[in-house]
Amino acid sequence: MVNKLKTYEHQEEKYYLHGDAGVHNFVYMVNILNGVIDPSPLIGPKIYDFTYAFCSSPDNLNLRTLLRSFSLLTQDVPFNTERLLDEVLFQLYTRIGVCIRVHPHDLSGYLKAWKEWRVYLPSL
């Protein structure tokens, strides 16, 4: 799947990204997003920060939330559902590894989500 994701590298414009766009770094005031703190800057496609944010909490890690949120994202490259699912699977898998180290209390939620999401893994 990683090799498949690499094939998109030359097909889309790159942006300066936050790199750590997790919900824990979103600052709200009166239910309005006021800022995003603690960047780990990198260059890449917008989908990276989007899927990072989606997978940054085990809450609401479901297909319905993903598709509704994704429909709000302004894009310059059309995405098909297969690509979006691959990007989320990649982020979710890596997030589990980070979670073990940084947010171990979330591990059970991520493992539960992984059981649901792994049905979208490409067959070997």
Side-chain angles (χ1 to χ4, degrees), residues 44-103:
K46 287 191 265 186
I47 192 70
Y48 180 87
D49 270 351
F50 173 80
T51 56
Y52 192 102
F54 177 73
C55 294
S56 69
S57 168
D59 301 327
N60 297 315
L61 273 176
N62 58 64
L63 188 59
R64 180 180 176 179
T65 302
L66 173 68
L67 296 177
R68 292 179 96 189
S69 302
F70 189 71
S71 71
L72 302 173
L73 182 65
T74 303
Q75 309 168 54
D76 48 0
V77 175
F79 269 75
N80 62 32
T81 304
E82 179 183 354
R83 163 103 189 264
L84 180 59
L85 293 176
D86 288 348
E87 296 280 356
V88 168
L89 285 163
F90 171 80
Q91 285 288 2
L92 182 55
Y93 184 79
T94 59
R95 185 67 188 175
I96 290 169
V98 169
C99 172
I100 291 169
R101 231 177 343 102
V102 182
H103 304 283

Side-chain angles (χ1 to χ4, degrees), residues 3-74:
N3 289 331
K4 182 175 155 189
L5 289 173
K6 283 182 1 183
T7 65
Y8 298 111
E9 181 179 353
H10 301 292
Q11 298 177 20
E12 55 201 26
E13 193 170 344
K14 305 296 184 290
Y15 297 86
Y16 289 106
L17 302 176
H18 184 278
D20 189 10
V23 295
H24 54 281
N25 286 330
F26 295 173
V27 179
Y28 290 88
M29 184 181 294
V30 193
N31 292 323
I32 297 173
L33 181 64
N34 260 8
V36 184
I37 61 170
D38 197 20
S40 295
L42 54 94
I43 296 174
K46 287 191 265 186
I47 192 70
Y48 180 87
D49 270 351
F50 173 80
T51 56
Y52 192 102
F54 177 73
C55 294
S56 69
S57 168
D59 301 327
N60 297 315
L61 273 176
N62 58 64
L63 188 59
R64 180 180 176 179
T65 302
L66 173 68
L67 296 177
R68 292 179 96 189
S69 302
F70 189 71
S71 71
L72 302 173
L73 182 65
T74 303

